[in-house]
Amino acid sequence: MKKKPLILVGGGGHCKSVIDVVESTGATILGVLDLPENVGQQVLGYPVLGTDDDIPFYADKADFIVTVGFIKSSQLRLKIHEKIELAGGRLATIVAATAYVSKYAMVGAGTVVMHHAFVNAGAQVGVGCIINTFANVEHDALIGDYCHISTGTMVNGDCCIGECSFLGSQSVVVNGVSIPSECVIAAGSMVRKNILLKGVYSGNAAMLKIKL
């Protein structure tokens, strides 16, 4: 069965990174949906065809990737995913040619695994996640839906990351540790023990800075 071309929803910096990942796979990009003021422009040579209001028009013509980054929270990405699903569209799953996903791992629809990232055996990554450049999701780790695992982050074996959480660049989650939904772990932090309260954490060991 011939694969459909892709529509990217969101035309900012994250979109550019995803374009590079998609091109590495050989998939075809039909175009981008973005803000009204950007319609008619291009993102790395790909046309901005319309806005997310045009998702229903493309639902039977292309598969979709949400290329809006994790802006303060995952809620905008989640709303766009819901809009695609309501229109009868399909979310693509993209794995960079330079990434490694074990045949014993599971990666959900709408997730992008970016350059040089690793998802190892027994790991499960949910729907709509960003596994960013050089991130490592180790064996048997569970990554909830709509998480962003940032550049160079290490999620060690048997960890559990709740949905809609953000792990900043080069943060480390120690083996077997759990993080609840909607948490933010600051860049460079080390999470050494289970986190119980939703909030913003930073430091080594990571401590609660802001309760959400």
Side-chain angles (χ1 to χ4, degrees):
M1 183 178 176
K2 186 177 179 181
K3 288 186 176 181
K4 291 181 179 180
L6 299 172
I7 290 284
L8 312 185
V9 187
H14 182 60
C15 179
K16 293 177 182 178
S17 295
V18 173
I19 285 172
D20 191 75
V21 168
V22 171
E23 289 181 343
S24 80
T25 72
T28 300
I29 298 172
L30 187 61
V32 179
L33 302 180
D34 198 23
L35 298 172
E37 58 266 31
N38 295 329
V39 175
Q41 298 182 23
Q42 293 189 340
V43 181
L44 300 185
Y46 295 99
V48 178
L49 300 169
T51 71
D52 59 6
D53 289 335
D54 297 306
I55 286 171
F57 177 77
Y58 291 101
D60 62 349
K61 299 177 175 66
D63 292 336
F64 295 86
I65 308 172
V66 176
T67 49
V68 173
F70 195 106
I71 304 170
K72 295 186 178 179
S73 78
S74 62
Q75 290 308 302
L76 180 55
R77 290 175 56 79
L78 178 55
K79 287 178 181 178
I80 296 171
H81 275 196
E82 289 174 344
K83 203 166 189 177
I84 291 166
E85 290 173 348
L86 285 171
R90 177 183 175 274
L91 293 165
T93 301
I94 302 296
V95 177
T98 59
Y100 175 78
V101 174
S102 169
K103 66 180 181 180
Y104 303 109
M106 295 178 60
V107 176
T111 288
V112 179
V113 181
M114 304 191 76
H115 284 300
H116 304 289
F118 280 73
V119 180
N120 282 318
Q124 296 183 43
V125 179
V127 171
C129 294
I130 301 168
I131 308 298
N132 219 324
T133 309
F134 283 108
N136 190 344
V137 178
E138 262 301 337
H139 67 85
D140 303 304
L142 302 178
I143 308 295
D145 295 343
Y146 305 104
C147 286
H148 185 159
I149 310 301
S150 296
T151 50
T153 293
M154 175 71 72
V155 179
N156 279 292
D158 297 305
C159 289
C160 183
I161 311 300
E163 64 183 24
C164 301
S165 288
F166 178 92
L167 275 59
S169 295
Q170 295 189 326
S171 56
V172 176
V173 185
V174 171
N175 289 59
V177 165
S178 294
I179 294 174
S181 298
E182 300 180 49
C183 268
V184 174
I185 307 300
S189 297
M190 181 171 286
V191 183
R192 295 178 177 271
K193 60 183 181 179
N194 291 345
I195 288 175
L196 303 178
L197 298 174
K198 180 171 69 175
V200 178
Y201 291 78
S202 68
N204 182 4
M207 303 294 289
L208 179 64
K209 302 299 181 182
I210 303 172
K211 188 177 178 180
L212 297 177

